[in-house]
Amino acid sequence: MATLLIVHHTPSPNCQALFEAVVSGATTDDIEGVRLVRRAALAATASDVLAADGYLLGTPANLGYMSGALKHFFDQVYYPCLDATKGRPFGYYVHGGNDVTGAVRGIEAITTGLGWRRTADAVTLTGEPGRADTEACWELGATVAAGLME
Ligand SMILES: Cc1cc2nc3c(=O)[nH]c(=O)nc-3n(C[C@H](O)[C@H](O)[C@H](O)COP(=O)(O)O)c2cc1C
């Protein structure tokens, strides 16, 4: 059974709605043979990352970057996971108030450094999520999960 790890920082109802949509997509009945492991970004460890086959990341934009929580996650796992996780698939979503550019740039740079392979379009949005946004998050979860099916 493949393991998909979702590492998220979810400090508000709008972020929670996106998180739930991604989880729903990743665990839909059509996905078989993939176990979803959920970890808050401040609790996720290098062991969690090493034990997974693919990754979903979710964060708000904070102070022009990804949340400190997701940055802390990367700070913890970067070197322990650098060689072992190269080439693994991932996807991500970013929610902001007005501008997610810096957060997106940061996630792209760090995952490029890790050698992770983005297998779904990133979902980025500001303000209250609409139906199209939650559907895009559902697709994000389903796409990355489907890529882990054997
Ligand atoms: C300390 C702080 C810094 C923030 N910085 C940014 C930012 O740089 N860019 C942005 O688009 N939103 C920023 N926001 C807004 C958050 O991204 C937003 O509150 C979060 O995505 C949750 O969305 P919600 O408040 O609509 O539920 C910031 C929020 C806080 C609390």
Side-chain angles (χ1 to χ4, degrees), residues 14-94:
N14 283 341
C15 291
Q16 180 71 22
L18 302 181
F19 171 72
E20 287 176 7
V22 172
V23 167
S24 174
T27 56
T28 189
D29 285 348
D30 292 339
I31 305 292
E32 291 174 356
V34 180
R35 183 176 70 108
L36 182 69
V37 174
R38 311 162 193 209
R39 289 285 184 271
L42 291 174
T45 65
S47 298
D48 293 325
V49 177
L50 292 169
D53 302 287
Y55 312 103
L56 288 162
L57 309 167
T59 184
N62 283 163
L63 305 173
Y65 201 62
M66 72 186 78
S67 63
L70 192 64
K71 172 66 162 48
H72 172 76
F73 162 73
F74 281 126
D75 288 351
Q76 297 263 349
V77 308
Y78 190 86
Y79 281 109
C81 299
L82 184 55
D83 291 328
T85 63
K86 201 165 280 181
R88 290 188 187 168
F90 84 104
Y92 69 90
Y93 62 94
V94 180

Side-chain angles (χ1 to χ4, degrees), residues 11-15 59-65 95-100 126-128:
S12 79
N14 283 341
C15 291
T59 184
N62 283 163
L63 305 173
Y65 201 62
H95 181 269
N98 57 357
D99 181 10
V100 301
T126 57
E128 188 166 347

